Amino acid sequence: MGFGGSKLEIRVERGISLKEEVVIYKASEYVGKVGVSVHLGRREKARQQAKTLLVLYRLQSRYTSQRITNARESLRSVIRGQKKLKSAGITIPLVDDRKKKLQKDLQVAESELALLGEQIFETLDLWESLGATMEDLCNLCNCDLTQVLAKLDTPEMPFSQITCVYNLDYKNPHDKGWLEDEVDAPFTHALKAYLLDRMLHTEKGRAAAREAMEAVFPEIMENALTIVTDADGVQRLIDKDGVEIATLDEGD
């Protein structure tokens, strides 16, 4: 009873619902099933199981993205409330504790989405290697095969790159030219989180991102500023020489 209770407390603490936990469990189960089928040479069965795994990952991405949205909204609300209290000369330590917890929840959920994006990236290519077709991919992402093929600059691109570069499941009737978190596109959001995580936290990713930006926007990159978040969650603007230019105030 104590063990089950502690699991429940951990789930509630992280904001994970019972439904999400079931999806996570089923996904881990299918990872094993795919591995066994591949090992036994049952390619057709493995292909079907890989598709099911991708469907589960899609559900998991929706749940994780919602937790990120909830944490961001709660954090903004706390920061706004804290500013009002400070302007009135009131300081409540519990507010700082609440803010730190929300910041941690947000970081954990964002890391989970990035990891999920990596899993989707790898599973898409595994699914393709097991015989999945472009038609299968378009059906999974609910997009038109003819339109996708017309967009492809390199037809031999792997499924992972096609899905990521062309945002296959992202459909916004009010397209503003950038990806909006509110749009239901679980594969796109998870894959972008994975790539962003690589750009921010790996030397190879940072170098590739900077090289691409310098090639496309040389004038901008010459005077580019970097946003760095310190241990207290404060965002600071740093110039190319490492000098702090300003502090960003998230509550404004």
Side-chain angles (χ1 to χ4, degrees), residues 124-245:
L124 282 168
D125 289 341
L126 173 62
W127 188 41
E128 181 181 18
S129 73
L130 292 169
T133 64
M134 273 297 299
E135 184 175 5
D136 292 331
L137 178 62
C138 289
N139 287 336
L140 178 69
C141 297
N142 191 27
C143 57
D144 184 84
L145 173 62
T146 303
Q147 293 179 1
V148 172
L149 291 176
K151 292 179 182 177
L152 293 183
D153 297 322
T154 311
E156 62 271 16
M157 287 175 68
F159 277 10
S160 58
Q161 292 184 23
I162 292 173
T163 307
C164 186
V165 172
Y166 296 98
N167 308 318
L168 293 191
D169 67 336
Y170 185 89
K171 300 168 188 65
N172 185 0
H174 308 293
D175 190 5
K176 298 178 181 177
W178 62 81
L179 298 178
E180 297 184 75
D181 293 338
E182 295 76 14
V183 175
D184 181 38
F187 288 141
T188 294
H189 295 317
L191 288 168
K192 297 303 184 188
Y194 166 52
L195 294 180
L196 180 60
D197 184 74
R198 288 192 63 184
M199 285 191 289
L200 292 176
H201 301 116
T202 67
E203 189 62 37
K204 185 176 180 181
R206 286 193 295 268
R210 185 167 186 88
E211 182 179 344
M213 287 295 292
E214 286 176 344
V216 179
F217 305 113
E219 298 85 0
I220 294 178
M221 290 304 293
E222 184 178 352
N223 299 296
L225 299 176
T226 302
I227 299 178
V228 176
T229 303
D230 64 20
D232 296 322
V234 178
Q235 292 186 319
R236 306 178 187 279
L237 278 178
I238 309 297
D239 69 11
K240 61 183 178 63
D241 298 317
V243 178
E244 181 180 330
I245 303 301

Side-chain angles (χ1 to χ4, degrees), residues 52 130 155 248:
T52 300
L130 292 169
L248 299 181

Side-chain angles (χ1 to χ4, degrees), residues 4-37:
S6 65
K7 283 187 68 177
L8 177 61
E9 289 168 5
I10 291 172
R11 188 173 69 232
V12 172
E13 182 74 12
R14 292 174 57 198
I16 297 177
S17 67
L18 180 58
K19 288 182 179 180
E20 181 180 358
E21 195 172 73
V22 170
V23 171
I24 293 172
Y25 172 78
K26 293 298 292 184
S28 65
E29 182 182 340
Y30 266 86
V31 168
K33 287 183 177 181
V34 173
V36 170
S37 295

